[in-house]
Amino acid sequence: MKRPNWTPPSTLEEALVIARELASNPDSLVLYRHHGLENARYGRGFAFLHTISTEDGETDGYVLVSTTAYGSGLLSMAGRTIDSEIAEHLARAEHSNRHIPDSELSTAHRVALEAYDSGRTRIDELPRRAALDAETADYAEFVLIHLRRSPNREATGRNILAHNDFLMERPVADRRYTQPCPHCKQPSIYQQRYPRAVCGHCHDRATDSAGRQVTGFNTHLSGGMIAYFADTVESPDGSPMEECVEVTQTGVCFIDGHPATMQEAHFGGIVVEMTVGDRGSRRWFRWGR
């Protein structure tokens, strides 16, 4: 299955373009009319049926393209129908757009929402921080970090909470949720395995030894890391990404001229950590010698 260039479709024609990219047999695509899906308040979209060739022969498959997501799969499992797939999709869309009443919010959630909706970057900037115990402030900071990471900058804090059920969980007693970034000292998600991991803001500013911004990706599911120059990722003109061989091969990068490491994380993803014994400048590093 190919991954389409995602632009939320507003018409059947746009959805069909995406469905053809997803379908293993595009010529067999047939529109499945569904009034509820095509007129839904949330998750509106279009469904298609198509034929999928497997080792056991041909079977029925589906593609569902909505204004919020896309997906495809087989309908050969017991009890699976295109209607049941659509029903689950619409239920998830309604759940993700639900109103969260005050009664479902803990003190930490209220503080995080206050900070987010007022444009604060950390809980310590709020006047009421002094009245919070350490555990409540720590979890509120954790929630605020995730709210600020949301790609939907126009969403309210409650909208983001509704889309992320894990943020609505109550904090676990005696669990640590945040740690200070070793570079900028801003709060970051706590990682016991990576005590020198930088925050998201510093992570996004990593460069090679020449000062050109780089970003890392996993090469495959079982591990591996490759670094690309950030200005070639998702280039508007569709040009290919350019690998930063220096960082790929050495794992050495820099943040504001200070040495750091970029590597694959234990359970996937990429982690950037400040180097122990930082000499304070990129001048000590000599690529290719």
Side-chain angles (χ1 to χ4, degrees), residues 1 10 13 23 57 86 88 94 103 108 117 127 141 152 173 196 206 215 227 248 261:
M1 181 183 76
S10 58
E13 290 72 20
I86 292 172
E88 287 187 12
E94 283 287 339
S103 59
D117 291 336
E141 204 75 77
N152 187 356
R196 296 188 62 78
T215 185
T248 297
T261 60

Side-chain angles (χ1 to χ4, degrees), residues 10-24:
S10 58
T11 66
L12 172 58
E13 290 72 20
E14 292 172 350
L16 181 58
V17 171
I18 297 173
R20 286 187 175 280
E21 293 187 55
L22 290 169
S24 57

Side-chain angles (χ1 to χ4, degrees), residues 33-49:
R33 306 297 325 207
H34 191 286
H35 179 79
L37 175 63
E38 296 174 15
N39 296 277
R41 178 174 57 167
Y42 301 116
R44 186 182 69 84
F46 301 92
F48 304 86
L49 293 170

Side-chain angles (χ1 to χ4, degrees), residues 4 45 52 124 152 157 161 166 168 217 269:
I52 298 177
D124 285 349
N152 187 356
L161 290 179
F166 77 97
M168 289 301 297
F217 293 89

